[in-house]
Amino acid sequence: MPRAATLPLDEQPMDVRLMNGVASGVFVLAGAALLAAGVMWLVRAPQFTIRGVEIDGDMGRNSVNTIRANAMPRLRGNFFSLDLQQGRDAFEAVPWVRSAVVRRVWPDRLAVRLEEHRAAAVWQGEDGNDRLVNSFGEIFDANVGDVEDEGLPVFSGPDAEAAGVLAMFRRLGPLLAPLDAAVEELHLSHRGSWSVELDNGATLELGRGSEDEVIERAARFVRTLPEVTARWRAPLEYADLRHTDGYAVRLRGVTTKTIN
């Protein structure tokens, strides 16, 4: 028996075309409904609940149990529905955690790799709250008491300049070493003026300028100071390097002197 010929779409009667269009729409809606139902099943299926977290990386300041206790209550969703960015934020909210990389491990686990802050200095905030500066020059919140035995230097200045203060500290440290003194405190004023407190009790006013200009003044001071202290046989108490043609010093028990 010969097959019935199929008319082109534009030659089919209007009611037939309408019926075909409705049928296609029903199939599309049914497929979307099935897809949505499948997604909802995945979201709610108990077998995909996150049942474990593998933690790797830096854990010098926190234990695995502490990290889990702080981060897990912040996680929302199961293996499929968990927002990995939300998971990252949850672990980075743990004290001392600088960054976290979170990935799924089939079928019900998370793998987390952590990087901790490495404290480089204590940061004296303008609001009176001390925080810490890490090795990248980033200010972060943590219990300052955790580092009280580590002999960290103390920085202060505008928060946005923390990285610059750390960079200056790293250059000044080796430069001032011939004085048998270490930088105990480093301050940057809002006007851009630098001052240093040394661990031998001396204070240095380094003044303003670019980093290289300040370092050049400090280097000149270090080169010539031994002659001054040897002549007067007195230790340094204060030095003002803000003069154009030299610097002024105050030695313990000696009147202030200007060195050209």
Side-chain angles (χ1 to χ4, degrees), residues 178-179 220-232 247:
L179 303 182
R220 180 180 61 184
F221 168 74
V222 171
R223 285 195 304 269
T224 57
L225 181 66
E227 299 176 14
V228 178
T229 55
R231 178 182 177 185
W232 296 96
Y247 56 85

Side-chain angles (χ1 to χ4, degrees), residues 42 45-52 54 77-81 103-110:
L42 288 175
Q47 58 264 44
F48 297 117
T49 299
I50 300 297
R51 302 186 188 280
E54 301 168 1
N78 67 6
F79 182 84
F80 291 101
S81 62
R103 61 184 179 85
R104 297 179 177 89
V105 179
W106 177 262
D108 57 4
R109 305 181 70 81
L110 294 178

Side-chain angles (χ1 to χ4, degrees), residues 15-32:
D15 57 342
V16 174
R17 281 185 284 171
L18 181 60
M19 183 176 63
N20 289 338
V22 170
S24 298
V26 169
F27 284 125
V28 170
L29 291 175

Side-chain angles (χ1 to χ4, degrees), residues 57-75:
D58 294 340
M59 284 177 284
R61 299 287 181 177
N62 288 296
S63 67
V64 171
N65 289 337
T66 299
I67 294 170
R68 285 174 175 159
N70 279 270
M72 292 297 284
R74 300 171 181 264
L75 301 179

